[in-house]
Amino acid sequence: MLTRRPEAYHSKIIEASTKSQISWSGGETRTIHEQLIVKEAGINDYLVYDNYRRASLLDHFLPFRTGIDDLIRSEYEELGDFVGGLYSLRHFKGEENTAICLSRNGSVNGNLFRVEKTLTLQDRPLKLRVDYQINGVFSGLFATEFNISLLGSPYASIIVGDKDLPIRNRGFHKGIKEFYLKDEFLNLRIGYNFDEEIDLWHYPVETISLSEQGVERIYQGTAFLFVKKLYLDDSHKSGFTISLGEDNREIQNAKRKV
């Protein structure tokens, strides 16, 4: 489960830290009933909780001032009611493609707003096309959030231009139109291609765990946000394509073109 939620033992960690009952690993071993052993400094910084269920295709409306650290700490202002809201669903099935349309009439900054997104599954090669149409009045950041977990492999990475980053990295990439995830261990390639330039934000979703060995940071997955500045007084259309199973040659060629 990617969502960072309160656990019963978190109160023990907070209480122990206020009473200076936390010691470093590497010293004398004690059980958790006597004293908490931690594996790194500042472990309390990872006691952060989400106010929504982490999934994908989540629609955020944020003030311009919002930064990636605000999201990591869950200390940001959500201007719309779409992240936790219910969407209507329609289903379409053609001879070649299958599509669903998710739509919601909600509000942003107290103004009526509509989001409609159509997901079309394409076969041979396998691709998922996502088309957005948003209608309303809004000035700020519109961000689509994806949460991805590849816990079975230590080799997953993010390719942005000529950068090859571990998937647990935090990053901000301005004005891109494509990026890739690759996992050689799982033989997996996932490509994201956008119709217009976006800013890509990504950060690890982490919490802390308690065991007989001590308190430690746990990686649960990575959050990706596709961020666009909007000055909207009517409607806006955008879209992107997710490609699955692309081979290494395609990725290398795409990297050389950037």
Side-chain angles (χ1 to χ4, degrees):
M1 192 77 168
L2 286 176
T3 307
R4 299 172 296 182
R5 300 188 184 280
E7 302 289 349
Y9 56 81
H10 288 175
S11 59
K12 297 181 181 179
I13 296 169
I14 296 172
E15 181 181 2
S17 64
T18 59
K19 295 181 178 179
S20 301
Q21 292 179 339
I22 291 181
S23 67
W24 292 105
S25 59
E28 181 183 354
T29 301
R30 296 181 175 90
T31 69
I32 59 176
H33 303 293
E34 299 171 353
Q35 190 175 36
L36 296 177
I37 309 298
V38 300
K39 297 186 177 182
E40 62 180 287
I43 198 72
N44 279 12
D45 293 342
Y46 299 98
L47 280 176
V48 177
Y49 306 122
D50 297 313
N51 54 17
Y52 62 93
R53 178 180 176 271
R54 286 192 178 272
S56 290
L57 282 175
L58 300 174
D59 303 320
H60 294 276
F61 292 88
L62 308 169
F64 285 124
R65 65 178 182 274
T66 308
I68 188 172
D69 288 337
D70 301 320
L71 292 162
I72 293 173
R73 295 191 300 264
S74 197
E75 295 176 350
Y76 66 95
E77 183 182 6
E78 188 73 56
L79 300 178
D81 61 0
F82 287 85
V83 172
L86 296 177
Y87 283 69
S88 299
L89 185 149
R90 291 178 290 156
H91 173 262
F92 307 92
K93 187 170 184 179
E95 293 183 0
E96 297 182 358
N97 299 323
T98 299
I100 61 172
C101 179
L102 300 169
S103 60
R104 173 176 168 78
N105 293 320
S107 66
V108 177
N109 262 344
N111 299 317
L112 295 178
F113 213 91
R114 178 175 175 83
V115 173
E116 185 173 290
K117 46 194 174 185
T118 302
L119 287 65
T120 305
L121 183 62
Q122 306 172 2
D123 198 2
R124 298 180 184 178
L126 184 59
K127 295 182 178 182
L128 179 65
R129 173 68 189 177
V130 181
D131 289 290
Y132 268 89
Q133 177 163 331
I134 58 178
N135 296 81
V137 176
F138 171 66
S139 292
L141 302 178
F142 175 64
T144 300
E145 178 179 346
F146 268 69
N147 287 279
I148 296 176
S149 179
L150 298 173
L151 293 178
S153 170
Y155 305 113
S157 60
I158 305 166
I159 301 175
V160 185
D162 59 356
K163 298 178 181 178
D164 193 333
L165 307 170
I167 199 169
R168 298 187 183 192
N169 271 29
R170 177 177 65 176
F172 174 93
H173 312 276
K174 187 175 180 60
I176 70 165
K177 292 190 72 173
E178 63 181 4
F179 77 96
Y180 297 88
L181 304 179
K182 73 172 184 178
D183 192 317
E184 296 177 359
F185 180 78
L186 298 176
N187 193 26
L188 177 65
R189 304 288 187 271
I190 307 174
Y192 290 81
N193 292 271
F194 301 87
D195 295 351
E196 57 185 0
E197 288 187 347
I198 57 99
D199 293 342
L200 173 64
W201 302 1
H202 57 85
Y203 62 89
V205 180
E206 298 173 307
T207 186
I208 60 177
S209 178
L210 177 62
S211 69
E212 288 290 338
Q213 286 70 46
V215 180
E216 59 185 337
R217 180 163 35 131
I218 298 296
Y219 168 76
Q220 296 178 291
T222 298
F224 295 86
L225 286 99
F226 315 147
V227 183
K228 184 74 177 178
K229 287 184 179 180
L230 290 183
Y231 301 90
L232 185 65
D233 59 6
D234 186 13
S235 64
H236 179 76
K237 291 184 178 181
S238 62
F240 57 92
T241 301
I242 305 172
S243 304
L244 303 177
E246 294 180 324
D247 65 29
N248 203 36
R249 289 172 298 174
E250 293 178 347
I251 293 178
Q252 295 301 326
N253 289 338
K255 289 171 64 177
R256 285 194 287 269
K257 292 178 182 178
V258 175

